Amino acid sequence: MTAQPPIRALALDTATSAVVTGVVELRDEGPVTLAERIVTDQRRHAEVLTTLMRDVLAEAGVAGDALDAVVVGCGPGPFTGLRVGMATGAAYADALGLPAYGVYTLDAIDRGTPAPEAGTRLVLTDARRREVYWALYEAGRRVAGPAVDSPDTLVAELAGRTLSDVVGESRFTERFGAAGADLVTPTPASLVAVAAERLTARAPAEPLTPLYLRRPDAVELKDQKRKSLLPSATHE
């Protein structure tokens, strides 16, 4: 069988507290990273992302018009950070006439972590407001989630379930009796791996849809202000 030419993709994700971007070649043997940057700077996602995109393209020696696609992490993630990556990825793909493929960030984190031989894996990321985004996986297949809950609620919900692996930041994984890491993010290669079937099939791109799982902070604050203007109830 004749080997297929590699597919070059720019991958990016801003659904966590890190900005992730890289250039990846999808080859017959799987995704191969040509260049990547993972930088923790959640307050400056917009400023950092475009600079990192330029850096990884230069390091990989790949011009924008030599790319075949853009792969973007669509969350779940906090509103402000997530929309930066998605808007940037969509605009970049549109400017170059490239298809953009969206993938779930939790799926990419699972794909980028060696899977347990058997059992159920829990993947967690920080949702802020003392909550976590989570999903369950078995043999690389998502079987529950993505969803958002407080750690206490999630511990209670999964109390009767045996977990063979928990992936996430230590302050969350310790609630399940598991070791964790200081920061857990997808990688450019794992983002591309999740989109591999669509990339290989040259599937038509679909609009990128962000997965927030709750309303943005600005809306909630507006709602709170509106409620504060309502007349208070009087009691006889």
Side-chain angles (χ1 to χ4, degrees):
M1 180 181 292
T2 304
Q4 296 297 315
I7 298 170
R8 288 178 173 175
L10 175 70
L12 55 97
D13 183 281
T14 56
T16 70
S17 59
V19 177
V20 176
T21 188
V23 179
V24 179
E25 276 193 351
L26 182 59
R27 303 174 184 174
D28 289 341
E29 64 271 25
V32 176
T33 302
L34 303 183
E36 72 174 12
R37 297 286 189 279
I38 299 177
V39 176
T40 304
D41 197 339
Q42 64 186 28
R43 296 182 181 276
R44 298 174 58 243
H45 275 51
E47 300 172 47
V48 171
L49 179 57
T50 52
T51 299
L52 297 183
M53 289 167 58
R54 183 184 64 235
D55 289 349
V56 295
L57 287 166
E59 182 179 323
V62 176
D65 58 8
L67 293 168
D68 297 298
V70 177
V71 178
V72 183
C74 293
F79 179 80
T80 302
L82 180 56
R83 69 177 178 174
V84 167
M86 296 191 64
T88 302
Y92 190 81
D94 184 63
L96 293 177
L98 300 172
Y101 300 103
V103 302
Y104 285 163
T105 300
L106 294 175
D107 290 357
I109 292 174
D110 174 69
R111 189 67 63 91
T113 309
E117 293 183 1
T120 302
R121 163 184 281 164
L122 171 65
V123 177
L124 304 161
T125 58
D126 186 4
R128 302 178 193 171
R129 299 189 211 157
R130 300 180 181 179
E131 292 181 322
V132 291
Y133 297 118
W134 64 273
L136 294 175
Y137 297 85
E138 293 178 356
R141 182 174 64 89
R142 180 166 23 90
V143 296
V148 59
D149 282 298
S150 70
D152 286 343
T153 298
L154 186 57
V155 168
E157 184 175 337
L158 300 180
R161 193 155 193 165
T162 300
L163 300 174
S164 57
D165 191 21
V166 182
V167 175
E169 296 178 16
S170 301
R171 57 199 171 108
F172 301 128
T173 60
E174 64 186 13
R175 304 291 294 275
F176 298 88
D182 292 335
L183 178 66
V184 174
T185 73
T187 65
S190 68
L191 291 162
V192 169
V194 175
E197 289 187 10
R198 284 175 286 167
L199 287 164
T200 302
R202 309 281 180 171
E206 297 180 355
L208 300 178
T209 303
L211 185 64
Y212 298 125
L213 295 182
R214 63 189 179 202
R215 294 180 299 170
D217 292 346
V219 173
E220 294 190 354
L221 289 173
K222 185 185 297 183
D223 286 347
Q224 290 172 10
K225 183 177 180 180
R226 184 180 298 116
K227 290 177 182 178
S228 70
L229 295 177
L230 294 175
S232 58
T234 58
H235 300 277
E236 297 295 339

